[in-house]
Amino acid sequence: MSVNKSRYELHFHGLVQDAVTVEPSHAKQIYQESSIQPTSIYQLPLQLADFTGRQKELECITSVLRRATSGQEFQTPTAIVTGVAGVGKSALAVQVAYELQSEFPDAQLYVNLRGSEGQPLDPLDVLAGFLRIWGVEDRSMPQSLSERSQLYRSVIAGKRVLIILDNARDEFQIRPLLPQCSTCAVLMTTRRQIKGLEEATIVKLSVMSEPEARSLLENLIGADAIAAEPDATQQIMAQCNSLPLALNITGGFLRQFPDCKLADYASTLKHEKQRLAKMQLSDLSVRPSLVLSYQSLDEPSARLFRLLGLLVGVNFTADVASRFLEVEPTIAQQSFDTLVAWQLVTPVTPGRYRFHDVVRLFVRGQLAQEEAADVRQAARLRLSCWYLEKALIVDLAINPETRSQFVQSFIKDKDKDKDKDEWSTERHSLLMALYWFEIERPNILASVEWAHQAEIWDVVVSLAQNLVNFFNTYGYWKDWERTHGLALAASRELGDRAKEAQTLINLGNVYSLAGQWEKAHQCYQQSLGIFKELGNRPGMAKTLNNLGNVYFQQQQNQNAIDCYQQSLSIFKELGDRNREGQTLANMGIYYAQDNQPIPAIQLWQDSLTKLQPNLPKFQRVAEWLKSIQGQSVETSSSTQTPQPQRLILYWGGAFILVMSLILSIIMLTG
């Protein structure tokens, strides 16, 4: 019988910023611009102020979902809204959710699954987001889809939760997201027929009725304008096929030109529809109104509209406009506000906006036609640099070794209970930083790729490095490996040996997290060789510690001890007490799992005199020390001879209380 090595967490050294090296006022400005509230259990998008009609469908869906509150159901009430693009499926779902908000007080979960786009969301990632909302830490997050789905269902079992699955692709995407309790309810939207959900009530959403379409136009441009030109209004509704999306875009156009005659607009819309029909283009119910609005935009707004098509994320903020247009923020904001007023981009949450998927396709078509390849590449690169600037600052709020200093550099605490307030401020900053990285993740990952394609090697290396703490926290090993593979190639193109060695350390760390010890060993050996070549003693010490951890996992005990001793010697020489403490902690783990409690206790006691008390690693070592000391006293007072097997049994029960380790290593940066 042997001790399970996953009960301890080895300290791996990374190479990230050790201090706030940016000017505090500049850091404060960037961080506050990026700050958005962490996601909550009430996730509904903003309610449409001009939602119109659909009373019959509203009553049908709400009656189905209310069964979850009756106490008489034996399965999850589920409704599916189907229909063509632009018919208003998402708006209807959100309206239903707001009407039922008080009846599902525990949570309203919402996700746009992007099923009609080229990259639908992976249910594994969706489940991770839902579970984090309920407080499941990433180190406890199951890795398989079935286990993660099971945990999600157990967490919300018995709770009154409404789940909105917007823009679903197929049964395989949504099946793991469905709860298995009668107190929850599910509402999903899709353009496709979802098979295998016989228990669901299907509501097929048709185009708006004539009174509904007329009422929507009245809300958008005023009843007087509609009453003045009834025939033209009828023609506009017909040309828009009474689709809410087309009518909203039309309304946005007409509000910008209040003197425009509806008859003139109707005639132009008809001509444009006929022209596009000859070109055999799709979305003829929405595209003509899109074309007319786009052609009427001023040039800066039209250019911003096109360039926003470069973004790959679900939604975006207005501050990207200044980087795209290369103008002052106030000027760029005017162009962005124009797009909002014309209903070409729509608010989804406070401060964040999105394209309807039909509009996104149109935008990307215009982008390809009107912006040359080098212009698109230059815009992507500007965005990559912008995300690097943001990530550099926001990462400081995630890294436990810089968070406190970063927060205190621009937040002054005047409360009496200072320690408590500082902790809550740091925690809030951490959550906001993680949420920013999570919601911007698709665009940031694309930025690394774009910089690599443009051969801007230093941006690739720096941006990848500033993603490590986020990837580590959320367990995005594949993203970590991919970005650092690009960064390694970029550092070699630069001919920068120091950056190459640093990247190899972080790449070795992700291989260690994944248990790919041979790959990790190769990365660390290469890194060590470069650091020796450069005479970089701190780099050598960090790499030697990491190598010791790999040897430990490979049960090459003497090699592990040799590496630890060399690392310890260099850290002592450098006077780096904190990293010296981390290495001592690792050596203590070695002896504890080799059934040698006395040297383990001594090493951990020494470690605590050197580790910074405000860091999580100090707390973990203190827990290990308390556990092993208690068990050591218990066994020494026993009248029986303490056989090694018996000691293992004693310690095993206590160690279960310690955080899960090794196999779910959290990279504690050095």
Side-chain angles (χ1 to χ4, degrees):
M1 185 175 181
S2 62
V3 176
N4 184 347
K5 292 184 179 179
S6 67
R7 290 174 184 150
Y8 288 117
E9 176 186 350
L10 291 172
H11 299 291
F12 281 78
H13 291 298
L15 283 157
V16 294
Q17 279 185 280
D18 295 322
V20 181
T21 57
V22 292
E23 200 275 320
S25 62
H26 183 57
K28 179 180 180 180
Q29 177 186 355
I30 292 176
Y31 186 73
Q32 290 180 335
E33 287 173 353
S34 304
S35 295
I36 49 180
Q37 291 299 317
T39 186
S40 72
I41 57 176
Y42 307 106
Q43 297 183 314
L44 299 181
L46 295 176
Q47 190 174 16
L48 290 179
D50 53 12
F51 183 85
T52 305
R54 306 302 197 185
Q55 193 59 39
K56 179 181 177 181
E57 292 85 357
L58 274 169
E59 291 175 358
C60 174
I61 297 170
T62 53
S63 66
V64 170
L65 301 183
R66 278 195 173 107
R67 296 173 189 166
T69 64
S70 67
Q72 299 177 351
E73 285 292 303
F74 298 99
Q75 58 185 9
T76 305
T78 303
I80 302 175
V81 181
T82 66
V84 299
V87 78
K89 301 182 295 295
S90 298
L92 175 61
V94 171
Q95 186 69 19
V96 168
Y98 273 99
E99 293 199 7
L100 295 176
Q101 201 167 15
S102 63
E103 299 179 48
F104 294 92
D106 291 321
Q108 297 100 46
L109 305 180
Y110 171 89
V111 61
N112 179 358
L113 295 172
R114 304 186 72 170
S116 60
E117 301 182 38
Q119 294 181 319
L121 295 188
D122 188 331
L124 193 70
D125 290 340
V126 176
L127 286 169
F130 283 168
L131 287 170
R132 289 186 192 111
I133 292 167
W134 293 99
V136 177
E137 296 185 358
D138 290 277
R139 68 180 66 190
S140 304
M141 192 77 67
Q143 294 304 304
S144 74
L145 180 60
S146 60
E147 290 178 336
R148 195 170 289 186
S149 180
Q150 184 178 5
L151 178 59
Y152 157 72
R153 287 164 177 163
S154 66
V155 165
I156 65 174
K159 295 182 174 66
R160 292 167 64 182
V161 179
L162 178 60
I163 301 152
I164 310 296
L165 305 176
D166 196 12
N167 199 3
R169 181 179 180 85
D170 52 35
E171 179 188 359
F172 300 102
Q173 186 187 34
I174 58 95
R175 179 66 76 175
L177 309 178
L178 301 179
Q180 292 181 337
C181 65
S182 59
T183 59
C184 298
V186 176
L187 175 56
M188 69 184 75
T189 71
T190 181
R191 292 187 196 175
R192 308 181 180 205
Q193 181 179 359
I194 302 288
K195 299 179 180 179
L197 296 178
E198 293 80 7
E199 69 278 11
T201 298
I202 298 177
V203 176
K204 187 171 183 180
L205 196 60
S206 302
V207 299
M208 301 185 91
S209 66
E210 184 176 316
E212 288 175 333
R214 187 181 302 276
S215 179
L216 177 57
L217 279 177
E218 288 178 352
N219 291 338
L220 292 169
I221 63 175
D224 291 343
I226 297 298
E229 297 185 73
D231 292 340
T233 299
Q234 190 72 28
Q235 293 174 31
I236 290 172
M237 291 189 300
Q239 296 300 332
C240 292
N241 199 28
S242 294
L243 284 176
L245 176 60
L247 292 170
N248 272 286
I249 294 171
T250 293
F253 176 98
L254 292 172
R255 278 189 300 198
Q256 306 310 308
F257 300 100
D259 295 332
C260 175
K261 296 292 184 181
L262 297 191
D264 293 338
Y265 181 83
S267 176
T268 306
L269 191 62
K270 180 180 179 181
H271 173 75
E272 184 63 28
K273 191 171 184 178
Q274 291 172 341
R275 184 182 72 84
L276 293 174
K278 292 178 181 178
M279 299 170 63
Q280 297 183 337
L281 294 177
S282 60
D283 300 320
L284 286 179
S285 297
V286 178
R287 190 177 287 265
S289 55
L290 263 174
V291 170
L292 294 183
S293 293
Y294 172 68
Q295 291 175 343
S296 300
L297 290 171
D298 61 86
E299 178 49 34
S301 299
R303 184 163 185 260
L304 175 60
F305 186 52
R306 293 192 298 271
L307 292 176
L308 285 172
L310 292 170
L311 296 170
V312 299
V314 176
N315 50 59
F316 45 85
T317 57
D319 52 356
V320 299
S322 62
R323 192 54 61 104
F324 273 141
L325 295 179
E326 299 179 278
V327 296
E328 291 297 319
T330 53
I331 298 175
Q333 185 66 49
Q334 293 174 4
S335 294
F336 193 89
D337 291 342
T338 297
L339 300 182
V340 175
W342 288 54
Q343 305 234 7
L344 296 173
V345 299
T346 55
V348 59
T349 58
R352 298 196 71 86
Y353 301 81
R354 73 176 181 91
F355 285 127
H356 189 285
D357 50 3
V358 173
V359 179
R360 187 191 297 272
L361 288 173
F362 173 80
V363 166
R364 289 178 174 170
Q366 300 307 124
L367 176 69
Q369 292 175 25
E370 300 185 43
E371 301 289 353
D374 60 333
V375 173
R376 298 198 299 271
Q377 184 181 67
R380 291 190 185 102
L381 184 57
R382 291 197 300 275
L383 198 65
S384 297
C385 294
W386 183 73
Y387 273 116
L388 171 58
E389 183 180 28
K390 296 272 187 179
L392 175 69
I393 302 303
V394 180
D395 179 52
L396 294 170
I398 300 179
N399 180 5
E401 296 192 17
T402 60
R403 187 185 311 138
S404 179
Q405 182 185 355
F406 172 66
V407 171
Q408 291 306 312
S409 69
F410 62 84
I411 296 180
K412 293 184 178 180
D413 181 5
K414 298 182 180 180
D415 291 348
K416 294 181 179 179
D417 192 356
K418 186 174 181 180
D419 291 339
K420 181 178 179 181
D421 189 77
E422 284 181 358
W423 180 87
S424 62
T425 300
E426 286 185 30
R427 178 173 174 79
H428 186 65
S429 297
L430 170 63
L431 293 175
M432 288 196 299
L434 288 173
Y435 188 47
W436 180 83
F437 271 113
E438 175 69 2
I439 203 165
E440 294 285 6
R441 176 182 159 218
N443 289 325
I444 295 174
L445 292 176
S447 293
V448 179
E449 300 276 355
W450 294 337
H452 189 270
Q453 292 166 7
E455 300 184 356
I456 311 299
W457 308 123
D458 54 341
V459 172
V460 178
V461 176
S462 298
L463 187 50
Q465 181 176 329
N466 282 281
L467 296 174
V468 168
N469 287 306
F470 166 63
F471 289 156
N472 177 57
T473 303
Y474 276 3
Y476 289 134
W477 313 144
K478 291 182 180 179
D479 291 343
W480 187 341
E481 182 180 0
R482 172 59 181 164
T483 55
H484 277 68
L486 295 175
L488 182 60
S491 66
R492 289 169 175 167
E493 290 286 348
L494 283 171
D496 191 321
R497 298 286 279 165
K499 283 186 170 63
E500 181 181 351
Q502 293 168 4
T503 304
L504 282 165
I505 279 191
N506 282 333
L507 196 55
N509 287 347
V510 72
Y511 287 137
S512 297
L513 284 163
Q516 299 182 46
W517 303 114
E518 281 301 322
K519 287 186 176 181
H521 180 269
Q522 292 172 11
C523 288
Y524 293 144
Q525 283 286 14
Q526 292 178 50
S527 177
L528 181 60
I530 296 173
F531 281 132
K532 285 181 177 178
E533 171 192 321
L534 298 174
N536 186 321
R537 302 283 284 169
M540 290 170 57
K542 295 171 186 179
T543 309
L544 282 164
N545 177 82
N546 291 358
L547 264 177
N549 292 342
V550 172
Y551 283 131
F552 184 23
Q553 291 301 308
Q554 294 176 321
Q555 298 183 340
Q556 299 182 35
N557 295 344
Q558 189 56 54
N559 286 340
I561 287 296
D562 289 345
C563 285
Y564 289 149
Q565 291 287 6
Q566 292 178 62
S567 174
L568 190 64
S569 175
I570 297 175
F571 283 138
K572 284 182 178 179
E573 171 193 322
L574 296 170
D576 192 333
R577 291 175 57 82
N578 187 55
R579 292 186 175 91
E580 185 183 345
Q582 294 177 42
T583 304
L584 288 166
N586 287 345
M587 295 175 71
I589 292 174
Y590 168 83
Y591 285 107
Q593 296 195 353
D594 196 38
N595 302 328
Q596 300 184 54
I598 301 305
I601 289 172
Q602 293 172 343
L603 286 163
W604 285 342
Q605 287 175 334
D606 195 9
S607 174
L608 290 177
T609 67
K610 303 177 187 301
L611 288 171
Q612 297 177 22
N614 62 325
L615 295 181
K617 60 193 73 175
F618 178 94
Q619 300 168 4
R620 295 189 186 105
V621 175
E623 290 173 0
W624 303 341
L625 182 60
K626 181 179 179 181
S627 174
I628 198 172
Q629 283 176 328
Q631 296 305 317
S632 179
V633 170
E634 180 181 340
T635 35
S636 65
S637 63
S638 173
T639 57
Q640 300 182 17
T641 303
Q643 300 295 328
Q645 291 85 354
R646 188 177 302 279
L647 287 177
I648 292 170
L649 289 173
Y650 286 149
W651 295 335
F655 291 164
I656 292 175
L657 300 176
V658 184
M659 298 179 179
S660 69
L661 311 162
I662 301 290
L663 298 180
S664 59
I665 300 166
I666 292 181
M667 307 306 299
L668 297 173
T669 57

